[in-house]
Amino acid sequence: SAGGAAALPAEASESGHCRVPELLLDMRTLYGEPLFGSRGIQLELRAARDVPPAAISASALKQVLLNLLRNASEALQPGQRLVVSVLPLVNVDGRNCLEIRLVDNGPGLPPERTLDPLSPRPTSKGGGHQGLGLSVVREILGQWDATMLCRSQKGTGTSFQIFVPLEQSA
């Protein structure tokens, strides 16, 4: 089982590309029930067909997505849902990127966090885990020339958009 391998540092031999829809299906198999199903939260995956490989290693993207999935599962109430979509081609600053969008209908981030939701700072949630989680996410994505946008509205929900290049720049 690949379950334990995710926590180990990436092997030098690991490919710098991964297939995002397959990776999301694997993650749903591993984490869907403990993080979402057992709490009465819906997790829905939507992926276009024939999505090209993204220029990021599977272990890096897993870390990013696991952080965001954990945060969502802690913020959402039973009956709420998280929808994760993969959109095959977006042009960001002249580069072809794949977009991974995570949208929930939860409470929204507190207003002081939406200004700069990625800066590490303690949250009212206790333990400061969410703030640190997001700064780690930003750092990992930066190593792969990927970017993330966050939008949040109190009482309406939060959306994260992750843009991952389809090819590494020279």
Side-chain angles (χ1 to χ4, degrees):
S1 102
L8 299 171
E11 293 299 318
S13 62
E14 188 189 13
S15 153
H17 285 78
C18 70
R19 296 204 164 268
V20 178
E22 285 86 337
L23 184 139
L24 281 166
L25 287 170
D26 286 352
M27 291 190 75
R28 181 172 64 181
T29 303
L30 284 172
Y31 304 112
E33 188 50 36
L35 288 182
F36 297 95
S38 65
R39 301 175 189 212
I41 304 164
Q42 284 177 280
L43 174 62
E44 193 180 316
L45 298 185
R46 299 176 183 169
R49 288 183 185 283
D50 303 323
V51 175
I56 185 170
S57 74
S59 61
L61 187 56
K62 268 184 192 156
Q63 271 186 289
V64 164
L65 291 170
L66 187 54
N67 256 301
L68 295 173
L69 291 175
R70 278 204 185 113
N71 283 345
S73 83
E74 288 172 14
L76 295 175
Q77 298 301 311
Q80 294 181 324
R81 72 162 190 269
L82 174 68
V83 179
V84 183
S85 318
V86 181
L87 307 158
L89 195 63
V90 212
N91 195 292
V92 180
D93 297 329
R95 300 184 68 187
N96 286 336
C97 290
L98 169 144
E99 179 184 342
I100 306 168
R101 192 181 290 179
L102 297 92
V103 182
D104 70 49
N105 60 353
L109 294 172
E112 70 276 8
R113 291 197 45 87
T114 43
L115 296 170
D116 182 13
L118 303 180
S119 63
R121 64 159 68 81
T123 63
S124 54
K125 216 167 56 173
H129 148 88
Q130 184 179 6
L132 289 173
L134 289 180
S135 69
V136 168
V137 161
R138 181 174 60 175
E139 205 172 294
I140 296 169
L141 289 173
Q143 291 164 4
W144 295 92
D145 291 331
T147 53
M148 180 163 82
L149 296 177
C150 170
R151 293 194 184 85
S152 189
Q153 247 183 323
K154 196 160 173 52
T156 324
T158 304
S159 74
F160 290 98
Q161 289 169 281
I162 301 170
F163 299 101
V164 184
L166 292 178
E167 69 291 310
Q168 286 288 59
S169 53

